[in-house]
Structure formats: structure tokens, C-alpha cells
Amino acid sequence: PPPRGPPGRGPPPRGPPPGGPGSEQQQQQLAQYPPPGRGPPGRGPPGRPPPQAPSAPPPPEEAPPESEEDEMLAPPPGAPPPPAGAPPLSLINKGNDGGMMIKHQNSLAGIKSGRLCVKCIQGHNIRKKGQAVGRTKVDAFVAIQLGKQKKAPKAKTSTQKKANEQPNFHNEMLKFDVLDVFAFANDNGSVSCHVELIDEAGKANTVIGTCEIDALPMMKRPNKPYREKFVLLGADGTDAYGSTLELELTYMEARVGVALLTLYEGRNLKNREVLGKQDPYVTFSVGEKYKKQSQVITDGGVNPYFKEERFNLWIDRKNWVHDLSVHCWDEDEGTDDLIGSTKMSLLEMMAVTKPDEVKEGLVEIFNDAGTKSHGHLLIRPQFLPAGILKVKVLEGKGLRPVDGGRQDPYIVLSIDGQAAAIKKKTKVVTDGGSDLVWDETLELDIVDQYDLNIECYDHDLLAEDSLIGKCTVSLLPVFKKGEIDTWITLRINQDGSSTSSGDIHLIFTFDAPYGIKYPQNQPGIDSFDEQLRLQYLREQPKKDDSNQGQGENALTLEGDPIEGPRDTTFADEEIEAAFRFVDLDKNGYIGANELRHCLICMGEMITDEEVDMMITMVDGDGDGQVSYTEFYSLVTDPDPGRPDFGKSVVSSQHKDMKRNAEDAARRAKEAESKEEKRKMLSAFVEENSIGGAELAYAVDKALEIPLAERQEGIDFKTFCQLNQVDPTGEYLAMFNLFDLDETGMIDFKTITLGMLNFVDLPKEDRCDFVFRIFDEDASGLLSMDELLAVLAANHMQSRDAVKRKAETIMKTVDKDGNGELSMDEFRTVGQKFPNILFPAFNKNSDDAPPQS
């Protein structure tokens, strides 16, 4: 059960309410292939109109006027899909029969609002039709359109007059704000960025060349610049002159949070006073209405000291599109004089993952025209990202009656911070009475807030809503523990004393960016990051395994002694009992299937990817299983969440390997590539509805290719033909992940097995499928080399990385010792080592261990 503790206590002693709670070549190719609450019903008195929810209280003055906290511009992470019949309009395609289809919605899920920045660098080998080599003379500019929808945003660079075949655009930046990515999506799920290089010739401009870029891969990898020379195609669709345009694209992801600005001093400011010293002050603004002002420094002159004054500005899901405007003024009796101004990018501040490490720096301010420096301001700009507090309001019991009839209760949650106050409210439960069910989840953005105000009202159509009760709870336990399920007592002041006015059942959950403690910017308050939440889970009361088997061999720690301080919360006997409980087949190792089985039995709905991640975090030697030594190290390590955890449990040989920096870098790169392959293959299989029949068809067609040609590999066009898909930029990017030598050719077997990881097939059929693909000589046997190829393909790693796994399998299963595996022996591998042979089963396959 969820942990119980403050805020709140156990449930009140009342009965339950009714109803209960409820490399370059590849990227040139990319330019050529553009990618594709529930409340019980009630009846009011006769003639009474349906009740309406009370209007939300107005935001305080400190809140930015443009903020609408209740409005979500895109589905939040983890939100359920929209109901059938109400798809995003931008993804609806009306066919000839008037029907509607939603396409490729999954490829856009999780992409947040942000800004696509296109840096225009330089053209190369630019020629107009009919111009000789070296005779180019154009007035060139770049024009870009994002998306193909009506009123798609467009932007263009300044014109470079009399440019030659290498027009330089001086890194001019074109920007496109994306509030809702669905509004920019094409029917195939791509986000088109149409680029034209144009020769300006009065009213009759001439398009020199064009290219189509899919911006979706950039959006999936925010804050990472992508620079390439994109091939420009002429009007006839060919690349006649080898012209390219060099661009750099970056998608800057927007976040909700607080812009915290510390103002130190001014340096060598422009003096706007003829006599005496000027009286400077500074304003910070986001948009036209949201502004903060510093104190005026009387006689501060040209080098004023602002006493490290701090400003908190709330950045929401809309106002991030504005830059932060900084103005320095000289206060005067009449009109204040502008000393200088500048703009700062909020998105650049958001891209910093460790705000506490940001240092103060000099910000240059300019005259009105932005052409002349008017001094500097010393400012420390930080962005404090918000975490998400979810409060599930389940039910109420014994609420104080304030209406003569059946009351209509609703809950208001509010939090006050240094930058903004936020309020959220539940629906009104008509005729809910004193015992009722809301079963509604409210979300609040948390930065520096740590107290939650809870109020319960009875809605009244004809009069002011009546307060049933209220209370304030501390959110610090939620920040520390991550989840709390509890009952809260509401109270009301009557006749000078506080009395109970009922109880409400709430579940608090908190999720936040990695490595940041909450509440932020509260030096006098305890704060907690995710490490403390994980530590709390480890410290929960443990249950003894009273059914531990007798007469089993003792588990021992292998390799070098475990060094460093150890956590002694659990005795060695308790650790061994817990290991034996999870080790279902009693082979001394915990595999993915065993871990998944135990977690499901405990009520945890966990995905295969999460199980694999858990195994990887603890599996120090990389054999795909967790040994007792590795498990012991996890339990006794004081901080297993640190980045270098797991290095102490490997053998001396592995320690020596890990001391080699080049080897560590290679492993890190391989892990990154594996994760990228996993994501793209999973999306490819899901988007194209690929199953066992589709893979079998592709294999049959591939085996029709002559063996000599097949062993050289297949190109991208052949890959698309075999899988019956259109060539898109996103699929090309996935193809290139398997083209390690950048020849434009890949091994068909490898990518097919990669896809097989995400297709539901019975285990025996899966083994037969793999055996058929790799037994190309039809000998009925798989050699050690072929087994290595199978494991490398399934794990999406190099052969070196899976060598130990292959040796373990061959040593265990190859009973006749001939160094080869027959079909029956290979099926045995699937039974004994399922998580090694097939590391990414889908949930619905039959690889789960039998239920106990």
C-alpha cells in the first residue's frame, strides 16, 4: 500500500460513502527523404437550473496577467489519450468518404512547446540556371516556412547583395515558436520545414533551389544543435550543380517555472544628467504587461550598486514566447530617461539543467536603435523549473452541512509562491451531501511553494458560496517521499474555537526534474530531490520471507571485497532472504522475467523497458542478469543513485577495463546508440502495425535476393520496399543508426531482429524465426559466430559487448560440445535465458513465468 504519513492521518471512524472511491552523406540523404471525474448523479429541486461551477478566483497582482494556469496547450506527460471522436484537429484527415483518421499521433507524443531556431550560415556551389562556373552573381536570401497548414509561419533572412557562389548569411537566425506541435504536423506525422534559396530581383524573385527538412527529430532531441549542408534541388527536382545550403537547427524546449534574476550593479552606464548624478533603476518585463522594477538608487551615477536585489518572474505555458526585456532608467521629476536596454532569451535560461551553478555575468545594454553600447549590468540569471504536484481528490466523509437541502460541494486547492499564486478547483458534485466522491486529479506547478491551502465550499446559485471547512498542509513530506495517501481533516472557526467540519481523502504525488531540490529558492526550508525519495522507499519496513526454502546452498559474495562505507539497515540474512524470494528458478541470478513477475504480483504495472532499465542499473558485469553480489551491493550502498554506482561490484578485470577512458567513452556511446535504436524501432513497428506476418513477408522477400548480394547488405530503398513503407527522413535516420561504416548499406538480419523485439510472437515461434534468418547455409546448426550475431542484433550492441553472454549460453546449452547449436538446443536457450536471448519482449508475449 502507499506510504501513510503527514500530511494527515488514518481514515476517520465513519462508514464508507455511497459508491466508494473510485556523417555528411547520411544527412544529405535526410534532406532528400523528408519524413514522414466521476461524481454521483443527483437531482435538484423542481425548476432549479443545473448548477454551475463557481468561477475561478482572479489571479493576484504578482501573477503574470497572460497566465492561464487551468489551460493546457498540449497534453501533459502521462495524460490519457483524448476521447474517441475528439482528435486534435491538425491530425484529422478527411477522406473521400468523409471519414476521419488520426495518423502518427504517437510520434508527436511527449514533444513540448518550444522554439525552432534555424541559423542560416552559408550557401555552397550556388548557381542559377544558365550561369557558368565562377560567374555567379545573385542577391540571395533564405526563406523558410514551418508546416504546411494554413497561415503557416514564414521568415526570411536579410538579402546578401551581389553574392557569389558562396553567399554568406552571417549566422542570421530565423525563429519559429511552437505552442502546439500537432498544429504543425503533416498527415504522415512529420513536421515540414520548407527552405528556399532565392535571388531577389525586384518583384520577380527567382527560386535558386529548395529543400525539405523534417524538424521532428530535432524536436525529439531538444536543446541540441543539428548542423548540416542540405542539398538544394532545382525546379526540375534534380541537383544539377551540387548546390547546398549550410544550416544549423536547434529546438529550444520551453518549460514552466520561475526566472530568478539577481541584480548586482551597473558599470559605466550612459550618463543622462547634465548636472549632478543620475538616479538609476532597472525594470524586467515579460511581454507588455508583466513587469518588475528595482529600487531607485539615488545619486547612483554611472556605477550604481543595486544591493543584490532579487526578482521572481513566473513563466507559464504561454508567456515564454517573449524574451526577457531589461531596461535601465534614470528617474527624473518629469519623464524618466532611458539609459539603455537589451533582451535576454528565456529559452536559453531554461536549457541550463543546474540553475544553482549559474554565475553572475555582465549584460550589455544599448541605445534605442541597438547600435551603441550604453554600459553593462551585472546580473545572475537563473531559471528554476517547476515540478508537478498531482493531488487526487477521492472522497469526502462527514462534511459539515451548510445548506438546508443536499449541498453541492467542491474543493479549491491554492498555493502561494514568490512569483505567482495558483488556484485549481474540482467539479461541483450536485446534491453530493456530506458523504460523496469526486475522484478527480488536479495538477499544480511547484517551484518555491511548500504549503497547500485546501478549502471546501458548498456551491450556491443565488448566494455566495458557503465555506464548509479548510486547512493548510505542508508539502515537504510529499517532496521527500514522492507519494502519500492520506485523509485530511477540514476545520472551521465558530464562536472563537476551531472545530472539525469533515474529512477528505487525498493522494499526493510529486514528480520533478532530475537533480533539483524542492522547494527551490527557500534557504530556510528543508528541500528534497529524487535521491531522498528513492532512499525513503529503501527504508520502508521490510517483510521477512517466512517461506524460505531449506537446505539450499548458501549465497556468497564473489570477486573483490566490497569497498567503501556500507548501509547496515538490513542484516545479511535479510538481504539473502529477499534475493531468494525474487530468484524464482533458484539459479543464483535474477533475470528480467523474475523481476517483472514479482513486481506484477505486488500490484506494480511496470513496462518491459522499465524492467530492463532496472536490470541495467544493477548489472555491473553486463551479462543481462543480477548476481547476488550485485544485488548485495545495491542494498548496502549508501547512495546507489549516484552516476558511478555499480563499478564496485565488478571483478578486477572489469575494473581495469573501466579505468580506460577510451573504453568508457565507447561503452557510453554504444549505450546511447542502443537507446536511440530502441526508441526508433519501437515507433517504426507501432506506426506501421508490423507483426509476425509482416516480418515473415519481409524475410521471404529478402531471401529472394542472391546470397552474395544479400551479404553485402541492403540500401535504404530496398529496406523500405521489403517493409512496404514510404521512404521518410525519420526512417532514414533509423536506417543510418545501423549503417555503422556509413556505406549506405546495412545487414538486413540485424535490423529485422531489432524490430522483432517489439513484435508479439510465442517464444517457440520467435526462436524458429531467428534460427531461420541466421542459418543461411541451411545446415540446421548455428555456429558461435552466428550466435554472436543473433545476440548483437537482439541487444542492439557490438559483438564484443555480448561475447560473455554467448559464451555463457554455449557453455550451458551445447551438450554435445561441438561448438554449434541445433534447433532444439536453440529453443532451450529461449527457455533458460529468455532475458538474454530476447531482451525486450512485449507485455502480451507468453514469456512470463507461471503464476504461483
Side-chain angles (χ1 to χ4, degrees), residues 300-594:
V302 297
N303 294 294
Y305 176 58
F306 292 99
K307 303 177 183 179
E308 301 184 19
E309 190 173 356
R310 305 178 78 177
F311 307 87
N312 294 273
L313 292 93
W314 184 258
I315 309 302
D316 59 29
R317 292 172 177 84
K318 281 187 176 180
N319 67 353
W320 63 265
V321 300
H322 304 288
D323 285 337
L324 173 67
S325 296
V326 183
H327 292 76
C328 185
W329 303 86
D330 171 29
E331 186 181 56
D332 213 330
E333 292 182 358
T335 303
D336 295 347
D337 298 319
L338 179 65
I339 298 174
S341 64
T342 191
K343 291 184 180 294
M344 302 173 65
S345 171
L346 288 171
L347 291 170
E348 291 180 3
M349 294 169 57
M350 296 176 183
V352 178
T353 57
K354 296 182 179 180
D356 289 342
E357 297 181 3
V358 176
K359 306 296 183 182
E360 64 272 14
L362 290 174
V363 177
E364 189 171 13
I365 59 177
F366 301 88
N367 61 355
D368 278 338
T371 58
K372 187 175 180 179
S373 175
H374 277 192
H376 294 80
L377 295 172
L378 185 63
I379 301 174
R380 185 189 185 194
Q382 299 169 274
F383 184 82
L384 312 180
I388 301 296
L389 173 69
K390 295 182 180 181
V391 183
K392 187 168 187 178
V393 184
L394 290 172
E395 57 185 310
K397 291 183 180 180
L399 299 183
R400 181 176 69 95
V402 297
D403 199 336
R406 296 274 293 181
Q407 58 192 4
D408 311 318
Y410 66 95
I411 297 292
V412 178
L413 305 180
S414 62
I415 50 175
D416 294 330
Q418 301 174 60
I422 302 173
K423 286 191 176 183
K424 295 290 183 72
K425 62 185 186 320
T426 67
K427 63 194 175 188
V428 175
V429 180
T430 306
D431 292 340
S434 295
D435 296 336
L436 71 158
V437 173
W438 283 285
D439 194 16
E440 184 175 352
T441 299
L442 304 178
E443 293 190 5
L444 301 98
D445 297 312
I446 299 292
V447 176
D448 55 4
Q449 309 95 324
Y450 56 91
D451 282 335
L452 177 69
N453 302 308
I454 306 173
E455 297 170 305
C456 183
Y457 288 90
D458 170 35
H459 177 58
D460 199 317
L461 289 175
L462 304 178
E464 184 179 356
D465 293 348
S466 303
L467 177 66
I468 297 174
K470 63 180 181 178
C471 68
T472 299
V473 298
S474 171
L475 295 174
L476 298 183
V478 185
F479 300 156
K480 180 179 180 180
K481 300 177 181 180
E483 180 175 342
I484 290 180
D485 183 343
T486 189
W487 287 81
I488 303 290
T489 297
L490 303 174
R491 308 194 72 83
I492 190 75
N493 287 321
Q494 290 182 325
D495 301 327
S497 63
S498 175
T499 60
S500 171
S501 57
D503 299 271
I504 56 175
H505 186 190
L506 306 175
I507 298 178
F508 299 83
T509 58
F510 183 68
D511 189 25
Y514 173 82
I516 297 179
K517 295 183 177 182
Y518 289 81
Q520 302 183 74
N521 195 27
Q522 294 285 6
I525 303 297
D526 290 340
S527 57
F528 310 92
D529 61 11
E530 74 289 336
Q531 294 187 7
L532 291 173
R533 292 191 281 275
L534 293 173
Q535 181 178 347
Y536 170 78
L537 294 176
R538 294 199 306 269
E539 292 174 351
Q540 290 304 290
K542 54 269 182 190
K543 297 180 179 179
D544 294 332
D545 182 10
S546 57
N547 297 323
Q548 179 178 337
Q550 303 296 324
E552 294 172 304
N553 295 329
L555 296 170
T556 59
L557 299 176
E558 302 174 346
D560 300 335
I562 299 177
E563 303 171 349
R566 312 307 299 170
D567 187 339
T568 58
T569 302
F570 301 98
D572 288 358
E573 294 79 10
E574 293 174 313
I575 298 174
E576 181 174 344
F579 183 89
R580 292 188 185 279
F581 178 80
V582 183
D583 180 20
L584 300 176
D585 60 4
K586 309 302 178 186
N587 67 347
Y589 293 90
I590 297 174
N593 290 333
E594 294 167 319

Side-chain angles (χ1 to χ4, degrees), residues 794-809:
N794 271 338
H795 287 265
M796 292 174 275
Q797 292 179 300
S798 67
R799 293 194 176 199
D800 288 340
V802 299
K803 184 177 181 180
R804 178 172 175 177
K805 296 180 177 68
E807 291 173 344
T808 301
I809 290 174

Side-chain angles (χ1 to χ4, degrees), residues 191-234:
V191 178
S192 296
C193 187
H194 179 73
V195 183
E196 294 181 344
L197 179 63
I198 301 176
D199 177 22
E200 186 178 69
K203 296 182 179 180
N205 295 337
T206 303
V207 177
I208 301 174
T210 67
C211 68
E212 293 284 342
I213 305 172
D214 182 14
L216 187 60
M218 295 79 172
M219 294 178 171
K220 291 183 175 181
R221 304 167 187 83
N223 306 322
K224 295 182 180 180
Y226 179 88
R227 183 167 177 167
E228 189 53 63
K229 295 178 182 179
F230 295 95
V231 176
L232 294 175
L233 304 179

Side-chain angles (χ1 to χ4, degrees), residues 819-837:
E820 295 177 316
L821 297 178
S822 66
M823 173 66 82
D824 290 339
E825 290 173 332
F826 191 72
R827 289 173 179 168
T828 302
V829 173
Q831 295 291 334
K832 286 192 173 183
F833 304 96
N835 57 310
I836 297 181
L837 186 57

